[in-house]
């Protein structure tokens, strides 16, 4: 458990911030890399996701597990804040198939004051991941009054479109008051729609709104013909029409991480 950020809005603070908030206490169950891989195989999993705490803080364990997972036909996914050295990223790249990276803001001041970190290393990690051939998705937790202004939304959308590619999925998540940021209100649906429209304005193909009552914006839409290809409800896929990651209606390739 643990994280190299101290985000005031941490949605998983009970585990991500456990060591710093509880005098170094680390709770959990002892498992070796082989234990993790064997358990994943026994449950019929096709991939292992390193998430809810920052994988770079247990990099050695993740690296050993990822290598063994690949040997056993499993894919590996990092859910990360992107705050890692280029050396670390290149070391694990041969075994890292995909990553969902938090782009928390496009303001260095936000990163310093709210996360105790810096923006530039995250941007470098995102670009390096794309260059290394890792499948990349970006997530932004939209916090009222902190990172939802038009300038930041435009900068984030432009960065994704220009530096990572218009096909890169952008997940825009609704904020709920949590941890040390309980004085902010829940993200409004209008604010989520504004971010969605900003992404579309910059030509992004796949934009998803999370924790949002408007369920249709969880679906994957063909960027060419506009037909719905994957229907989702929460964590569940209710219908998948893709044929080998291509649209069955117009044969357009769809940028989807397939396991």
């Amino acid at each position: 458990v643990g994280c190299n950020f101290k985000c005031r809005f941490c949605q998983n603070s009970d585990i991500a911030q456990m060591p710093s908030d509880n005098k170094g206490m680390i709770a959990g169950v002892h498992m070796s890399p082989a234990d993790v891989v064997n358990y994943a195989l026994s449950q019929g999993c096709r991939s292992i996701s390193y998430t809810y705490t920052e994988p770079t803080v247990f990099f050695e364990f993740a690296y050993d597990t990822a290598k063994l997972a690949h040997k056993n036909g499993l894919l590996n996914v990092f859910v990360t804040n992107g705050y890692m050295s280029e050396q670390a990223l290149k070391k694990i790249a041969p075994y890292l198939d995909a990553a969902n990276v938090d782009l928390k803001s496009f303001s260095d001041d936000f990163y310093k004051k709210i996360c105790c970190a810096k923006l530039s290393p995250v941007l470098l990690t995102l670009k390096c991941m794309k260059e290394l051939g890792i499948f990349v998705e970006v997530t932004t937790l939209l916090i009222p009054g902190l990172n939802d202004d038009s300038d930041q939304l435009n900068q984030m959308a432009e960065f994704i479109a220009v530096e990572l590619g218009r096909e890169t999925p952008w997940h825009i998540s609704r904020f709920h008051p949590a941890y040390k940021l309980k004085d902010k209100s829940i993200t409004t649906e209008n604010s989520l729609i504004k971010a969605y429209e900003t992404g579309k304005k910059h030509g992004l193909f796949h934009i998803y709104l999370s924790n949002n009552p408007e369920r249709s914006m969880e679906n994957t839409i063909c960027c060419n013909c506009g037909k719905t290809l994957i229907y989702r409800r929460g964590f569940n896929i209710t219908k998948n029409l893709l044929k080998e990651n291509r649209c069955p209606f117009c044969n357009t390739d769809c940028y989807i991480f397939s396991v």
Side-chain angles (χ1 to χ4, degrees), residues 43-86:
Q43 298 301 305
C45 297
R46 290 180 287 176
S47 63
I48 296 175
S49 183
Y50 306 76
T51 180
Y52 286 108
T53 61
E54 174 53 46
T56 53
V57 305
F58 59 93
F59 182 85
E60 295 84 358
F61 185 83
Y63 177 77
D64 290 344
T65 304
K67 285 179 65 177
L68 190 58
H70 260 206
K71 287 182 180 179
N72 285 273
L74 296 170
L75 302 179
N76 296 295
V77 183
F78 266 18
V79 181
T80 174
N81 57 33
Y83 213 66
M84 64 188 77
S85 68
E86 184 177 345

Side-chain angles (χ1 to χ4, degrees), residues 22-254:
N22 294 281
K23 298 180 180 179
M25 184 184 76
I26 297 178
V29 177
H30 177 78
M31 295 183 78
S32 68
D35 290 334
V36 175
V37 171
N38 288 336
Y39 187 74
L41 292 170
S42 73
Q43 298 301 305
C45 297
R46 290 180 287 176
S47 63
I48 296 175
S49 183
Y50 306 76
T51 180
Y52 286 108
T53 61
E54 174 53 46
T56 53
V57 305
F58 59 93
F59 182 85
E60 295 84 358
F61 185 83
Y63 177 77
D64 290 344
T65 304
K67 285 179 65 177
L68 190 58
H70 260 206
K71 287 182 180 179
N72 285 273
L74 296 170
L75 302 179
N76 296 295
V77 183
F78 266 18
V79 181
T80 174
N81 57 33
Y83 213 66
M84 64 188 77
S85 68
E86 184 177 345
Q87 181 183 4
L89 181 57
K90 286 183 175 179
K91 183 175 180 66
I92 202 163
Y95 313 103
L96 186 60
D97 302 284
N100 186 300
V101 182
D102 283 343
L103 182 55
K104 298 176 186 289
S105 165
F106 218 81
S107 162
D108 199 50
D109 189 58
F110 175 100
Y111 266 88
K112 289 177 181 177
K113 291 182 178 178
I114 307 298
C115 306
C116 297
K118 296 179 181 179
L119 170 63
S120 57
V122 179
L123 302 182
L124 289 173
T125 291
L126 280 163
K127 291 192 285 187
C128 189
M129 281 181 169
K130 290 291 288 193
E131 292 168 1
L132 292 168
I134 297 166
F135 183 97
V136 173
E137 299 194 0
V138 176
T139 292
T140 301
L141 183 70
L142 210 60
I143 307 173
L146 289 181
N147 65 352
D148 61 345
D149 60 274
S150 295
D151 285 346
Q152 284 201 64
L153 291 176
N154 275 291
Q155 287 176 312
M156 285 189 281
E158 183 178 17
F159 173 82
I160 295 169
V162 174
E163 300 293 345
L164 307 181
R166 294 164 63 196
E167 74 282 357
T168 305
W170 188 20
H171 299 266
I172 303 165
S173 296
R174 171 174 261 174
F175 166 80
H176 296 271
Y179 195 40
K180 297 179 179 180
L181 202 64
K182 294 182 179 179
D183 59 331
K184 294 292 182 181
S185 59
I186 190 171
T187 314
T188 65
E189 190 165 356
N190 285 340
S191 185
L192 292 169
I193 297 298
K194 174 186 172 184
Y196 180 91
E197 291 175 345
T198 301
K200 284 298 181 184
K201 182 181 73 174
H202 285 274
L204 298 182
F205 297 154
H206 303 299
I207 306 170
Y208 302 100
L209 300 186
S210 303
N211 304 326
N212 178 47
E214 182 49 65
R215 296 294 187 179
S216 64
M217 290 185 175
E218 296 178 333
N219 298 332
T220 295
I221 310 297
C222 178
C223 62
N224 183 49
C225 70
K227 296 286 181 65
T228 300
L229 303 178
I230 301 177
Y231 294 80
R232 297 183 179 85
R233 188 165 186 83
F235 292 112
N236 299 312
I237 292 176
T238 58
K239 187 187 295 185
N240 184 351
L241 301 179
L242 285 175
K243 303 295 182 182
E244 296 182 348
N245 283 359
R246 304 190 78 87
C247 174
F249 305 103
C250 66
N251 202 40
T252 298
D253 186 28
C254 191

